[in-house]
Amino acid sequence: MDRSNKPYDGLFGRPTSHMLAMSAASSSSLSLATILSSGLKGGITGGIEICITYPTEYVKTQLQLDEKMGGMKRYKGIWDCVVQTKREHGIRGLYRGLSVLLTGSIPKSAFRFGTFEELKRRSVDEHGNLSPIKRLLCGMGAGISEAIFAVTPMETVKVKFMHDQTLRNPQYRGFIHGVRHIVRTEGIRGTYQGLTATILKQGSNQAIRFFVMETAKDIYRGGDPTVYVPKAWIFLFGGVAGAASVFGNTPVDVVKTRMQGLEASKYKNTLDCAQQILRHEGPKAFYKGTVPRLSRVCLDVGITFLIYETISDLFKKYLNI
């Protein structure tokens, strides 16, 4: 019998629809497992990292909210902000609003790393490497994901809470009361102020950070993804990635912070906010808080990637995932 025109079906014959369905289900299960494990590792990473770096985040936000429009600046600089906060609220004052950020940092990191790892899994070539453009796109996708599902509502509440604490008669008695007050007076939409600016910030942030990190690791490995990268180098690469993101998108961060403050109603939209800042305060205003943000972000990103890689190694060693 002539078999020359029959397609080769492999050792076990042509796959049936049942076999294809099982294959698809297996792939879907693998994808879900990847997302969940990466999300869990990211969540643990976020919780540890924010407890270490929160005071610098507090100072950065206070300086950005310290507008020059219509009055004297309250703070002379970073150290003055720390001194005044300590004098008025004690050392615990530098941790005011931590519960807000801690509550949000866990899902933020979960969405960030979960999304990135899944996008990376779908985008690597046959050697397990990402092309430069795909590094950017996977990072951007991770940033957009965390912006929509975690960062925007978390940051809005955090900034409003911090801003409220600078008033003579604060209206929020705590995190839960603050959230209730915002939702009652402004609706759910009140927790999504500055969504566009946040998507721009987080998307560009993570695009830059993951691009730098993945590129640095690829250079160290010489293109072989199986080569081990020491933790000290991971921390260093993370610090460089953090610095690059600060200089790349601090103006967006300033606009986002203003859009989420208690006086956000005076801005029509993100563009109007940027225009008002430029008109009333000048170009330098877009880089307010850069120094405290630079120190915070370099440490933050370095620690974040270091913790994530460490947790990933522990998961592989003890859980085989």
Side-chain angles (χ1 to χ4, degrees), residues 245-263:
S245 68
V246 168
F247 290 111
N249 74 355
T250 289
V252 178
D253 185 50
V254 171
V255 173
K256 177 196 71 68
T257 299
R258 297 288 181 86
M259 285 294 294
Q260 293 172 331
L262 294 177
E263 299 179 358

Side-chain angles (χ1 to χ4, degrees), residues 111 185 265 270:
F111 276 108
T185 57
S265 58
T270 301

Side-chain angles (χ1 to χ4, degrees), residues 58-284:
Y58 179 89
V59 172
K60 180 215 72 169
T61 303
Q62 291 301 316
L63 290 177
Q64 288 184 344
L65 292 173
D66 187 26
E67 299 183 41
K68 293 187 293 184
M69 297 169 60
M72 295 287 291
K73 292 177 63 178
R74 182 179 180 184
Y75 303 118
K76 298 177 183 178
I78 301 170
W79 184 244
D80 183 55
C81 179
V82 173
V83 171
Q84 286 196 45
T85 301
K86 185 176 181 295
R87 183 170 59 244
E88 296 173 8
H89 305 288
I91 195 66
R92 293 178 62 183
L94 293 172
Y95 283 89
R96 295 172 75 88
L98 173 62
S99 59
V100 181
L101 214 57
L102 184 60
T103 302
S105 287
I106 293 174
K108 176 180 75 171
S109 289
F111 276 108
R112 176 193 304 169
F113 285 102
T115 301
F116 179 79
E117 293 294 349
E118 176 60 15
L119 292 176
K120 179 180 178 179
R121 187 184 71 83
R122 294 172 177 269
S123 304
V124 292
D125 59 23
E126 64 274 15
H127 302 295
N129 295 316
L130 282 172
S131 67
I133 187 63
K134 287 183 178 179
R135 292 170 196 163
L136 275 172
L137 293 177
C138 288
M140 184 180 296
I144 292 173
S145 173
E146 68 178 10
I148 295 173
F149 297 108
V151 177
T152 301
M154 174 196 72
E155 288 282 306
T156 301
V157 173
K158 181 206 72 174
V159 173
K160 287 180 182 292
F161 188 86
M162 285 184 173
H163 199 170
D164 179 68
Q165 302 308 307
T166 65
L167 304 178
R168 289 191 174 184
N169 298 305
Q171 57 183 327
Y172 302 150
R173 294 193 295 271
F175 171 56
I176 300 299
H177 177 261
V179 173
R180 288 176 178 172
H181 185 275
I182 293 170
V183 174
R184 184 172 62 251
T185 57
E186 304 176 46
I188 295 297
R189 185 177 181 181
T191 64
Y192 269 86
Q193 291 178 337
L195 176 60
T196 301
T198 305
I199 288 176
L200 290 174
K201 178 203 169 187
Q202 297 306 124
S204 59
N205 242 349
Q206 301 312 323
I208 294 171
R209 292 176 186 177
F210 278 108
F211 173 81
V212 173
M213 174 56 73
E214 291 294 316
T215 300
K217 289 197 297 185
D218 186 60
I219 292 174
Y220 183 91
R221 291 166 170 165
D224 182 357
T226 63
V227 174
Y228 176 77
V229 181
K231 296 297 185 291
W233 283 105
I234 292 294
F235 179 76
L236 178 62
F237 294 158
V240 173
S245 68
V246 168
F247 290 111
N249 74 355
T250 289
V252 178
D253 185 50
V254 171
V255 173
K256 177 196 71 68
T257 299
R258 297 288 181 86
M259 285 294 294
Q260 293 172 331
L262 294 177
E263 299 179 358
S265 58
K266 69 183 181 182
Y267 305 121
K268 297 177 182 178
N269 49 48
T270 301
L271 180 60
D272 179 62
C273 177
Q275 291 175 333
Q276 286 200 43
I277 293 174
L278 180 62
R279 183 165 57 250
H280 295 289
E281 303 174 57
K284 290 184 179 180

Side-chain angles (χ1 to χ4, degrees), residues 10-30:
L11 293 175
F12 304 101
R14 182 173 296 179
T16 65
S17 58
H18 177 65
M19 293 169 63
L20 291 174
M22 289 181 63
S23 176
S26 176
S27 177
S28 176
S29 177
L30 177 61

Side-chain angles (χ1 to χ4, degrees), residues 56 78 246 290-300:
T56 53
I78 301 170
V246 168
T290 298
V291 174
R293 187 179 180 222
L294 183 63
S295 61
R296 177 189 70 83
V297 170
C298 288
L299 179 63
D300 175 3

